[in-house]
Amino acid sequence: RRFTELDEAAMWTGMWRGLRQSAALARPRLPALLPNTTAASARAFSAASAQRTIKLPHNLEGVLTEFRASKTLSKTSKGTPELMKARVQNVLLLCSDYDSYTFEEDGMLGELMHTEYSQHNLRKPPKIERVTSVGHAMEQLEKEKYDLVVSLLRTQGETLKLESFVNEVVKRDPKIPILLLALNPSELLSLDSRVDESMRVNVHKRLRYEELSQVADKTPAAAEGGVLASAWLWPFLWQGNLSLFTAMFKAVEDRLNAYDDVKQGAQVIILVEDNVKFYSQFLPTVYNELIKQSAALEDEHMSQTERMNRMQSRPKVMLCTNYEEAMDIYSRYKQETMAIITDVAFSRNGTWDATAGIDFIQDVKAERPELDVVVQSSEELMREKAEALGAAFIHKDSPSLTLELRDFFRRTLLFGPIRFYNNSNQVLAEANNITSLMRVYANLPEDVIDRVGRTNMLSKWFRARAEPALAKHFRSSIYPDDFHDFKAQGFDSERDMLRHWVITSMFSLRNRLTGAVSDAQVSDDMTPIVRVGKGSLGGKGRGFRLLHNLMDTFELRYSLPGVELRVPQSLILATDVFDRFIESNDLLAPITRTTSDAQIEQLFEVAALPADAMDALKQYAERVTSPVAVRSSSLFEDAFQQPFAGVYQSYMLHNQVPTKQERVATLASAVKRVYASVFSLEARRYAEASRLQVTDEKMAVIIQEIAGREHAPGVFGPSLAGVANAIDFYPRPNTTTDDGCASMTVGFGASVVDGHSAVNWSLGDPTVTTGKPSDFMVLHLPSEAGVSAMGSILADTTLAKYPVEKAHEMGLLKTVPGAAPVHPLVELQTRDAHGQKVVFTRRTHPATKPDPSPPALSELGIEQAVRGDALPLNQALSFFLQLGSTALACPVELEFAVNLRKQPHENHELSILQIRPMPQLISDSKSTKALRFTYLPSTQQAAVTSRAALGHGRFTGITDIVYVPPDAFSAETSEQIAAEIGQINSALRRSGKKYLLVGPGRWGTADKSRGIPVSWSQIDSSQMIVESSLPSHQAVPPSQGAHFFQNIMSFGLGYMTVDDRKGSEGEEAVDYAWLDTLDKVPSDKPLKYVKHVRVEEELEVVCDGLSRRGVIMKPGKDFDTYIAQIDAMMAITAESGSL
């Protein structure tokens, strides 16, 4: 490009002036590259080596290290290998066509097995391939991999030669189990030489196959007695029960998996029986009880992963046929053995022994006298010997053999419901799951609590439900010895302390199982999240589930001194309720005919919520009478890169109407208005801009108690509230981008997210703050005389705004001076089954009575709270930001509230009210990474220069400029300005044009004195947004926590904040005088305050997301010549160390 001497002189003058200031301009310490949601950048962001100024306590650093290493939120499943790794999935069945009809209907055994597995809620049934000859079987074994061979002893047209058949099979697969299925006893006796006339068999294969299954290249060593002794060869007798196939398959799986699964907590049932007929009858009954017990977990509320883990960790049945094998199994799984079922007579040392079973039980009982054992024999004389050893007895020839075995599982091993009896042996109560047990146990008479506490009843029941850790937890406690200090712990008796200890332990388990979510039918006032309906919990709901899991998994509630960390309990109407509401009221068609938000609200107000949602609201209104928030939680809300922040409605309800019916009606009305906001004009416009269909949106609704308190009569809210960001887009000289930042105000944080004034600071340096609140918001509670019927819901949802000076009078910042207690006095700590801290909360233990004399309170300044004078606020926020960013694999933003303590025995409270991903700002492409600069030219070359720009790269296609001259702005004119901008925006949207938007103050703020209160629909065609200083020469702090800011960032809009109060060269500037010289674009309606101009050439708009520099070049002044070349030379000169 050719340029004049004046241009050249100006360029070199500017360059050398910049070099003289190289200490400040030449490659200063730059913020780290902003992470996006790619895996590499997520790992880089969450790495422990991130550059942060703030230091966390060792315990919180340990939590971060543990979480980053574990990549999981469940301590019960952390690092747990897969259970039931070995599965019977492919079976080769050898039998004749004729014999197959004995146990098939129309030859469809596969379909029957599918039905059998489905009825028992088992995984996919094995595929069964049937062949009719030994030759065909060998061909299949060579072509395909099978997990199991089942052979009848007769094949098509010939009798099976067992030894030859087995020898051919093991040549092809030495480790494959072979199950022989005889259709009658005589057939088995004639063909299997190992079975004697009494149908007894001696099969000893312990560890020969199970351990070798872990080693792919090893085969079993040959055993004495030939191939029939060395092969895995099990005989079974068909007795007309299709469940025998399931039992055979499961018996093989248990043998292969027990070695690994018991290490993960699986229990073992040893079945010692050498009679083929009896174990073929016993095994289906045993497995039927085990499968029923697994199916009972359907009544338990837990995550699908936990449910699958527990179904897979059912007890393993070890079938043994001789004394040595039984002792070997018991010796290896001694502590994991939950029961033994044994015959009396079987082989010992290769010889049949009439008392081998009695001797076996004597040896076992000597070590574990509490172990449940049942002896089964055809000799009645053995009953007395069995009972003398503390074992139950079942007669093998009893017509009720199966029923007695089932009774053993249910009454002795406590499979099924748990029942509590009175002194007359009458059932007082029973429970089918943990939630019902908590309720039952809470109301048991003290004598029953005492009696149950002296037994292993609870331990057995939890062991049967695949919770060995909690079973051991209860079994290891000694009642009443461990509960003698009940008075010191604030309880009335050992029984009272035992009751609360048991309930709290069960509550801790249940929350881990559910992932903090339970259905309304099984919830109580301790449930973190109560779900109504199916479908998603929405964006906010997912965040709350994450936060509750983090709190529970890492014991965070009292992890910092003097502050209680909290996450609100929530009732969530899942997206399925929204779908049913729209469908059952046939609302989609009428919505399309509405022309205003008021019409949509009226349409929704008269519609009926689903019955289950109304039932849940009634239960909630019965329990909760304090102020509540009814919050939107849609699928699009808080999503990566499309957060929809602040687009939908939420309501604050004082919830003080006189009757339950009115509270329910108010809640229902608020829910319906949240639903209506999905179809508001603003939401539709936002969805269109996001290239989404509003009809694809699904809305969940969160109802939760507001994190606040009554500070003065009728004045409710938090003491402080605000927003914290993991990334500080505008770091101070002594802080880093990774330190994060926060904005906070007095009262509700709505003023922060709506763009009102607040105190702002870097978490890395809380001693330096900018800005201060000018007003604050609280919720007014009506006096008793003022409480009336519901009336309009809008009257129940308005936050009152006051000047910040009134905060002192209302007592929001008054607190008890001095250090708060480490823990509330009412808390009793112990450890649960997984080694986690169990806390007796106020909900399960009577609260300590406050001191009748009111404590002396002192005023806490908001800057003091920022500095950490009262509570470690910066450390807590930084910790949650780092933890949440690791969990979401991207930077996050938090909304929080602080309640200062009002009593000496209280802690301050910090509640995390929302977590959401921050938008991605920088691409990983090579072209954008190369676009870096720090030099800013004068207004001779640039229309706008900024040191606080967001976005990265070139913003192209802009020829239109919409701007507000600073002298046209005032608090009185700001709304009219917003309307005029919306008018221009609509016209440009229709023509498909993008534009540059420039004006004084903050865009999108609700505070009309600080900027222009545009909505998203009024600026949705803009491509770059510029904020300059106010006409009063007041610099507005850059917006980081406002919903408006989040949304413009998610759309990839450029954003520049310009402090143009000095106006000298090298500083930031907006050349409004130059804008005034441009040609105006004609408007359909006259514009009083806003100007719309157009340039012939595209504006060159460039942002460097690392240095935060941004420029908008004037036509004819290209970026490469006037900035890039100068910046490169400055960098080279600075690196060489010469000027």
Side-chain angles (χ1 to χ4, degrees), residues 614-659:
M614 289 301 298
D615 290 342
L617 293 182
K618 290 173 185 176
Q619 293 178 23
Y620 192 82
E622 181 76 35
R623 183 171 61 84
V624 178
T625 58
S626 58
V628 298
V630 181
R631 308 175 68 186
S632 62
S633 180
S634 77
L635 290 183
F636 297 162
E637 215 166 6
D638 295 353
F640 290 97
Q641 303 310 312
Q642 297 291 349
F644 273 65
V647 174
Y648 302 122
Q649 289 295 327
S650 292
Y651 294 92
M652 301 290 185
L653 309 179
H654 61 60
N655 202 31
Q656 304 294 297
V657 289
T659 67

CSV table of all heavy atoms in Angstrom, one decimal, residues 614-659:
chain,number,residue,atom,x,y,z
A,614,MET,N,-49.2,-31.6,40.9
A,614,MET,CA,-50.0,-31.0,41.9
A,614,MET,C,-49.9,-31.7,43.3
A,614,MET,O,-49.8,-31.0,44.3
A,614,MET,CB,-51.5,-31.0,41.5
A,614,MET,CG,-51.8,-30.0,40.4
A,614,MET,SD,-51.4,-28.3,40.8
A,614,MET,CE,-52.5,-28.0,42.2
A,615,ASP,N,-49.8,-33.0,43.2
A,615,ASP,CA,-49.6,-33.8,44.5
A,615,ASP,C,-48.2,-33.4,45.1
A,615,ASP,O,-48.1,-33.2,46.3
A,615,ASP,CB,-49.6,-35.3,44.2
A,615,ASP,CG,-51.0,-35.8,43.8
A,615,ASP,OD1,-52.0,-35.1,44.2
A,615,ASP,OD2,-51.1,-36.9,43.3
A,616,ALA,N,-47.2,-33.2,44.3
A,616,ALA,CA,-45.9,-32.8,44.8
A,616,ALA,C,-45.9,-31.4,45.4
A,616,ALA,O,-45.3,-31.2,46.4
A,616,ALA,CB,-44.8,-32.9,43.7
A,617,LEU,N,-46.6,-30.5,44.7
A,617,LEU,CA,-46.7,-29.2,45.3
A,617,LEU,C,-47.5,-29.1,46.6
A,617,LEU,O,-47.2,-28.4,47.5
A,617,LEU,CB,-47.5,-28.3,44.2
A,617,LEU,CG,-46.7,-28.0,42.9
A,617,LEU,CD1,-47.5,-27.1,42.0
A,617,LEU,CD2,-45.3,-27.4,43.2
A,618,LYS,N,-48.5,-30.0,46.7
A,618,LYS,CA,-49.2,-30.1,48.0
A,618,LYS,C,-48.3,-30.6,49.1
A,618,LYS,O,-48.4,-30.1,50.2
A,618,LYS,CB,-50.5,-31.0,47.8
A,618,LYS,CG,-51.6,-30.4,46.9
A,618,LYS,CD,-52.7,-31.5,46.7
A,618,LYS,CE,-53.7,-30.9,45.7
A,618,LYS,NZ,-54.7,-31.9,45.3
A,619,GLN,N,-47.5,-31.6,48.8
A,619,GLN,CA,-46.6,-32.1,49.8
A,619,GLN,C,-45.6,-31.0,50.2
A,619,GLN,O,-45.3,-30.9,51.4
A,619,GLN,CB,-45.9,-33.4,49.3
A,619,GLN,CG,-46.8,-34.6,49.1
A,619,GLN,CD,-46.0,-35.7,48.5
A,619,GLN,OE1,-44.8,-35.8,48.7
A,619,GLN,NE2,-46.7,-36.6,47.9
A,620,TYR,N,-45.1,-30.3,49.2
A,620,TYR,CA,-44.1,-29.3,49.5
A,620,TYR,C,-44.7,-28.1,50.3
A,620,TYR,O,-44.1,-27.6,51.3
A,620,TYR,CB,-43.6,-28.7,48.1
A,620,TYR,CG,-42.4,-27.8,48.3
A,620,TYR,CD1,-41.1,-28.4,48.4
A,620,TYR,CD2,-42.5,-26.5,48.3
A,620,TYR,CE1,-40.0,-27.6,48.5
A,620,TYR,CE2,-41.4,-25.7,48.4
A,620,TYR,CZ,-40.1,-26.3,48.5
A,620,TYR,OH,-39.0,-25.5,48.6
A,621,ALA,N,-46.0,-27.7,50.0
A,621,ALA,CA,-46.6,-26.6,50.7
A,621,ALA,C,-46.9,-27.1,52.1
A,621,ALA,O,-47.0,-26.2,53.0
A,621,ALA,CB,-47.9,-26.2,50.0
A,622,GLU,N,-47.1,-28.3,52.3
A,622,GLU,CA,-47.4,-28.8,53.7
A,622,GLU,C,-46.1,-28.7,54.6
A,622,GLU,O,-46.2,-28.4,55.7
A,622,GLU,CB,-47.8,-30.3,53.6
A,622,GLU,CG,-48.1,-31.0,55.0
A,622,GLU,CD,-49.4,-30.5,55.5
A,622,GLU,OE1,-50.4,-30.3,54.7
A,622,GLU,OE2,-49.5,-30.4,56.7
A,623,ARG,N,-45.0,-28.9,54.0
A,623,ARG,CA,-43.7,-28.9,54.7
A,623,ARG,C,-43.0,-27.6,54.8
A,623,ARG,O,-42.4,-27.2,55.8
A,623,ARG,CB,-42.8,-29.9,54.0
A,623,ARG,CG,-41.5,-30.1,54.7
A,623,ARG,CD,-40.7,-31.3,54.1
A,623,ARG,NE,-40.4,-31.1,52.7
A,623,ARG,CZ,-39.3,-30.4,52.3
A,623,ARG,NH1,-38.5,-29.9,53.1
A,623,ARG,NH2,-39.1,-30.3,51.0
A,624,VAL,N,-43.2,-26.7,53.7
A,624,VAL,CA,-42.4,-25.5,53.6
A,624,VAL,C,-43.3,-24.3,53.7
A,624,VAL,O,-44.2,-24.2,52.9
A,624,VAL,CB,-41.6,-25.5,52.3
A,624,VAL,CG1,-40.8,-24.1,52.2
A,624,VAL,CG2,-40.6,-26.6,52.2
A,625,THR,N,-43.1,-23.4,54.7
A,625,THR,CA,-43.8,-22.2,54.8
A,625,THR,C,-43.0,-21.0,54.8
A,625,THR,O,-43.4,-19.9,54.9
A,625,THR,CB,-44.6,-22.2,56.1
A,625,THR,OG1,-43.7,-22.4,57.2
A,625,THR,CG2,-45.6,-23.3,56.1
A,626,SER,N,-41.7,-21.2,54.5
A,626,SER,CA,-40.7,-20.0,54.4
A,626,SER,C,-40.7,-19.6,52.9
A,626,SER,O,-41.2,-20.3,52.0
A,626,SER,CB,-39.4,-20.4,54.9
A,626,SER,OG,-38.9,-21.5,54.1
A,627,PRO,N,-40.1,-18.4,52.6
A,627,PRO,CA,-40.1,-17.9,51.2
A,627,PRO,C,-39.4,-18.9,50.3
A,627,PRO,O,-38.4,-19.6,50.7
A,627,PRO,CB,-39.3,-16.6,51.4
A,627,PRO,CG,-39.5,-16.1,52.8
A,627,PRO,CD,-39.6,-17.4,53.6
A,628,VAL,N,-39.9,-19.0,49.1
A,628,VAL,CA,-39.3,-20.0,48.1
A,628,VAL,C,-39.1,-19.3,46.8
A,628,VAL,O,-39.7,-18.2,46.5
A,628,VAL,CB,-40.3,-21.2,47.9
A,628,VAL,CG1,-40.5,-21.9,49.2
A,628,VAL,CG2,-41.6,-20.7,47.3
A,629,ALA,N,-38.2,-19.9,46.0
A,629,ALA,CA,-37.9,-19.4,44.7
A,629,ALA,C,-38.4,-20.5,43.7
A,629,ALA,O,-38.2,-21.7,43.9
A,629,ALA,CB,-36.4,-19.2,44.5
A,630,VAL,N,-39.1,-20.0,42.7
A,630,VAL,CA,-39.6,-20.9,41.6
A,630,VAL,C,-38.8,-20.5,40.4
A,630,VAL,O,-39.0,-19.4,39.8
A,630,VAL,CB,-41.1,-20.8,41.4
A,630,VAL,CG1,-41.6,-21.7,40.3
A,630,VAL,CG2,-41.9,-21.0,42.6
A,631,ARG,N,-37.9,-21.4,39.9
A,631,ARG,CA,-36.8,-21.1,39.0
A,631,ARG,C,-36.9,-21.9,37.7
A,631,ARG,O,-37.3,-23.1,37.8
A,631,ARG,CB,-35.5,-21.2,39.6
A,631,ARG,CG,-35.3,-20.5,40.9
A,631,ARG,CD,-33.9,-20.8,41.6
A,631,ARG,NE,-32.8,-20.2,40.8
A,631,ARG,CZ,-31.6,-20.4,41.1
A,631,ARG,NH1,-31.2,-21.2,42.1
A,631,ARG,NH2,-30.6,-19.9,40.4
A,632,SER,N,-36.6,-21.3,36.6
A,632,SER,CA,-36.6,-22.0,35.3
A,632,SER,C,-35.4,-22.9,35.3
A,632,SER,O,-34.3,-22.6,35.9
A,632,SER,CB,-36.6,-21.0,34.2
A,632,SER,OG,-35.4,-20.2,34.2
A,633,SER,N,-35.5,-24.0,34.6
A,633,SER,CA,-34.3,-24.9,34.4
A,633,SER,C,-34.5,-25.7,33.1
A,633,SER,O,-34.9,-26.9,33.1
A,633,SER,CB,-34.2,-25.9,35.6
A,633,SER,OG,-33.1,-26.7,35.4
A,634,SER,N,-34.3,-25.0,31.9
A,634,SER,CA,-34.6,-25.6,30.7
A,634,SER,C,-33.4,-26.4,30.1
A,634,SER,O,-32.3,-26.4,30.6
A,634,SER,CB,-35.0,-24.5,29.7
A,634,SER,OG,-33.9,-23.9,29.2
A,635,LEU,N,-33.7,-27.1,29.0
A,635,LEU,CA,-32.6,-27.9,28.4
A,635,LEU,C,-31.6,-27.0,27.8
A,635,LEU,O,-30.4,-27.3,27.9
A,635,LEU,CB,-33.2,-28.7,27.2
A,635,LEU,CG,-34.1,-29.9,27.6
A,635,LEU,CD1,-34.5,-30.7,26.3
A,635,LEU,CD2,-33.4,-30.9,28.5
A,636,PHE,N,-32.0,-25.8,27.2
A,636,PHE,CA,-31.0,-24.9,26.6
A,636,PHE,C,-30.3,-24.1,27.7
A,636,PHE,O,-29.2,-23.6,27.5
A,636,PHE,CB,-31.7,-24.0,25.7
A,636,PHE,CG,-32.4,-24.6,24.5
A,636,PHE,CD1,-33.4,-24.0,23.8
A,636,PHE,CD2,-32.1,-25.9,24.1
A,636,PHE,CE1,-34.0,-24.6,22.7
A,636,PHE,CE2,-32.7,-26.5,23.1
A,636,PHE,CZ,-33.6,-25.9,22.3
A,637,GLU,N,-30.9,-23.9,28.9
A,637,GLU,CA,-30.4,-23.1,29.9
A,637,GLU,C,-29.1,-23.6,30.5
A,637,GLU,O,-29.0,-24.8,30.7
A,637,GLU,CB,-31.4,-22.9,31.0
A,637,GLU,CG,-31.4,-21.6,31.7
A,637,GLU,CD,-32.6,-21.4,32.5
A,637,GLU,OE1,-33.4,-22.3,32.7
A,637,GLU,OE2,-32.8,-20.2,33.1
A,638,ASP,N,-28.1,-22.8,30.6
A,638,ASP,CA,-26.8,-23.2,31.2
A,638,ASP,C,-26.1,-24.2,30.4
A,638,ASP,O,-25.2,-25.0,30.9
A,638,ASP,CB,-26.9,-23.7,32.6
A,638,ASP,CG,-27.4,-22.6,33.6
A,638,ASP,OD1,-27.5,-21.4,33.1
A,638,ASP,OD2,-27.7,-22.9,34.7
A,639,ALA,N,-26.4,-24.3,29.1
A,639,ALA,CA,-25.7,-25.3,28.2
A,639,ALA,C,-24.4,-24.7,27.7
A,639,ALA,O,-24.2,-23.5,27.7
A,639,ALA,CB,-26.6,-25.6,27.0
A,640,PHE,N,-23.5,-25.6,27.3
A,640,PHE,CA,-22.2,-25.1,26.8
A,640,PHE,C,-22.5,-24.3,25.5
A,640,PHE,O,-23.2,-24.7,24.6
A,640,PHE,CB,-21.3,-26.3,26.4
A,640,PHE,CG,-20.8,-27.1,27.5
A,640,PHE,CD1,-21.5,-28.2,28.0
A,640,PHE,CD2,-19.7,-26.6,28.2
A,640,PHE,CE1,-21.0,-28.9,29.1
A,640,PHE,CE2,-19.2,-27.3,29.3
A,640,PHE,CZ,-19.9,-28.5,29.7
A,641,GLN,N,-21.9,-23.0,25.5
A,641,GLN,CA,-21.9,-22.1,24.4
A,641,GLN,C,-23.3,-21.5,24.1
A,641,GLN,O,-23.4,-20.6,23.3
A,641,GLN,CB,-21.4,-22.8,23.1
A,641,GLN,CG,-20.0,-23.4,23.3
A,641,GLN,CD,-19.0,-22.3,23.9
A,641,GLN,OE1,-18.9,-21.2,23.5
A,641,GLN,NE2,-18.3,-22.7,24.9
A,642,GLN,N,-24.4,-22.0,24.7
A,642,GLN,CA,-25.7,-21.4,24.5
A,642,GLN,C,-26.4,-21.3,25.8
A,642,GLN,O,-27.3,-22.1,26.1
A,642,GLN,CB,-26.5,-22.2,23.5
A,642,GLN,CG,-25.9,-22.3,22.1
A,642,GLN,CD,-26.0,-21.0,21.4
A,642,GLN,OE1,-26.6,-20.0,21.8
A,642,GLN,NE2,-25.3,-20.9,20.3
A,643,PRO,N,-26.0,-20.5,26.8
A,643,PRO,CA,-26.4,-20.6,28.1
A,643,PRO,C,-27.9,-20.1,28.4
A,643,PRO,O,-28.5,-20.4,29.4
A,643,PRO,CB,-25.4,-19.7,28.9
A,643,PRO,CG,-24.9,-18.7,27.9
A,643,PRO,CD,-24.9,-19.5,26.6
A,644,PHE,N,-28.5,-19.3,27.4
A,644,PHE,CA,-29.8,-18.8,27.6
A,644,PHE,C,-30.0,-18.1,29.0
A,644,PHE,O,-31.0,-18.3,29.7
A,644,PHE,CB,-30.9,-19.9,27.5
A,644,PHE,CG,-31.3,-20.1,26.1
A,644,PHE,CD1,-30.4,-20.5,25.1
A,644,PHE,CD2,-32.6,-19.9,25.7
A,644,PHE,CE1,-30.8,-20.7,23.8
A,644,PHE,CE2,-33.1,-20.1,24.4
A,644,PHE,CZ,-32.2,-20.5,23.4
A,645,ALA,N,-28.9,-17.4,29.5
A,645,ALA,CA,-28.9,-16.9,30.8
A,645,ALA,C,-29.9,-15.8,30.9
A,645,ALA,O,-29.9,-14.8,30.2
A,645,ALA,CB,-27.5,-16.4,31.2
A,646,GLY,N,-30.8,-15.8,31.9
A,646,GLY,CA,-31.8,-14.8,32.2
A,646,GLY,C,-32.9,-14.6,31.2
A,646,GLY,O,-33.6,-13.6,31.2
A,647,VAL,N,-33.0,-15.6,30.3
A,647,VAL,CA,-34.0,-15.4,29.2
A,647,VAL,C,-35.4,-15.8,29.8
A,647,VAL,O,-36.4,-15.2,29.4
A,647,VAL,CB,-33.7,-16.3,28.0
A,647,VAL,CG1,-34.8,-16.3,27.0
A,647,VAL,CG2,-32.4,-15.8,27.4
A,648,TYR,N,-35.5,-16.8,30.7
A,648,TYR,CA,-36.8,-17.3,31.2
A,648,TYR,C,-37.1,-16.7,32.5
A,648,TYR,O,-36.2,-16.2,33.2
A,648,TYR,CB,-36.8,-18.8,31.2
A,648,TYR,CG,-36.5,-19.5,29.9
A,648,TYR,CD1,-35.4,-20.3,29.8
A,648,TYR,CD2,-37.3,-19.2,28.8
A,648,TYR,CE1,-35.2,-20.9,28.5
A,648,TYR,CE2,-37.1,-19.8,27.6
A,648,TYR,CZ,-36.0,-20.7,27.5
A,648,TYR,OH,-35.7,-21.2,26.2
A,649,GLN,N,-38.3,-16.7,32.9
A,649,GLN,CA,-38.8,-16.1,34.2
A,649,GLN,C,-38.5,-17.0,35.4
A,649,GLN,O,-38.5,-18.3,35.3
A,649,GLN,CB,-40.3,-15.9,34.1
A,649,GLN,CG,-40.7,-14.8,33.2
A,649,GLN,CD,-40.1,-13.4,33.6
A,649,GLN,OE1,-40.0,-13.1,34.8
A,649,GLN,NE2,-39.8,-12.5,32.7
A,650,SER,N,-38.2,-16.4,36.5
A,650,SER,CA,-38.2,-17.1,37.8
A,650,SER,C,-38.9,-16.1,38.8
A,650,SER,O,-39.0,-14.9,38.6
A,650,SER,CB,-36.7,-17.3,38.3
A,650,SER,OG,-36.1,-18.3,37.5
A,651,TYR,N,-39.4,-16.7,39.9
A,651,TYR,CA,-40.3,-15.9,40.8
A,651,TYR,C,-39.8,-16.2,42.2
A,651,TYR,O,-39.5,-17.3,42.6
A,651,TYR,CB,-41.7,-16.3,40.6
A,651,TYR,CG,-42.3,-16.0,39.3
A,651,TYR,CD1,-42.3,-16.9,38.2
A,651,TYR,CD2,-42.8,-14.7,39.1
A,651,TYR,CE1,-42.8,-16.5,37.0
A,651,TYR,CE2,-43.3,-14.3,37.8
A,651,TYR,CZ,-43.3,-15.3,36.8
A,651,TYR,OH,-43.8,-14.9,35.6
A,652,MET,N,-39.8,-15.1,43.0
A,652,MET,CA,-39.6,-15.2,44.4
A,652,MET,C,-40.9,-15.0,45.2
A,652,MET,O,-41.6,-14.0,45.0
A,652,MET,CB,-38.6,-14.0,44.9
A,652,MET,CG,-37.3,-14.0,44.2
A,652,MET,SD,-36.2,-15.4,44.7
A,652,MET,CE,-34.7,-15.0,43.9
A,653,LEU,N,-41.3,-16.0,45.9
A,653,LEU,CA,-42.6,-16.0,46.6
A,653,LEU,C,-42.4,-15.9,48.1
A,653,LEU,O,-41.6,-16.6,48.7
A,653,LEU,CB,-43.4,-17.3,46.3
A,653,LEU,CG,-43.5,-17.7,44.8
A,653,LEU,CD1,-44.3,-19.0,44.7
A,653,LEU,CD2,-44.2,-16.6,44.1
A,654,HIS,N,-43.1,-15.0,48.8
A,654,HIS,CA,-43.0,-14.9,50.2
A,654,HIS,C,-43.6,-16.1,50.9
A,654,HIS,O,-43.3,-16.4,52.0
A,654,HIS,CB,-43.5,-13.6,50.8
A,654,HIS,CG,-44.9,-13.3,50.5
A,654,HIS,ND1,-46.0,-14.1,51.0
A,654,HIS,CD2,-45.5,-12.2,49.8
A,654,HIS,CE1,-47.1,-13.5,50.6
A,654,HIS,NE2,-46.9,-12.4,49.9
A,655,ASN,N,-44.6,-16.7,50.2
A,655,ASN,CA,-45.2,-18.0,50.7
A,655,ASN,C,-45.8,-17.8,52.1
A,655,ASN,O,-45.8,-18.8,52.9
A,655,ASN,CB,-44.0,-19.1,50.7
A,655,ASN,CG,-44.6,-20.5,50.7
A,655,ASN,OD1,-45.6,-20.7,50.1
A,655,ASN,ND2,-43.9,-21.4,51.4
A,656,GLN,N,-46.4,-16.7,52.3
A,656,GLN,CA,-46.9,-16.4,53.7
A,656,GLN,C,-48.5,-16.3,53.6
A,656,GLN,O,-49.1,-15.9,54.6
A,656,GLN,CB,-46.4,-15.1,54.2
A,656,GLN,CG,-44.9,-15.0,54.2
A,656,GLN,CD,-44.3,-15.9,55.2
A,656,GLN,OE1,-44.5,-15.8,56.4
A,656,GLN,NE2,-43.5,-16.9,54.7
A,657,VAL,N,-49.1,-16.8,52.6
A,657,VAL,CA,-50.6,-16.8,52.5
A,657,VAL,C,-51.1,-17.7,53.6
A,657,VAL,O,-50.4,-18.7,54.0
A,657,VAL,CB,-51.1,-17.2,51.1
A,657,VAL,CG1,-50.8,-16.0,50.1
A,657,VAL,CG2,-50.4,-18.5,50.6
A,658,PRO,N,-52.3,-17.5,54.1
A,658,PRO,CA,-52.7,-18.2,55.3
A,658,PRO,C,-53.0,-19.7,55.2
A,658,PRO,O,-52.8,-20.4,56.2
A,658,PRO,CB,-54.1,-17.4,55.7
A,658,PRO,CG,-54.4,-16.6,54.5
A,658,PRO,CD,-53.3,-16.5,53.6
A,659,THR,N,-53.4,-20.2,54.1
A,659,THR,CA,-53.8,-21.6,54.0
A,659,THR,C,-52.9,-22.4,53.1
A,659,THR,O,-52.3,-21.8,52.1
A,659,THR,CB,-55.2,-21.8,53.6
A,659,THR,OG1,-55.3,-21.4,52.2
A,659,THR,CG2,-56.2,-21.0,54.4
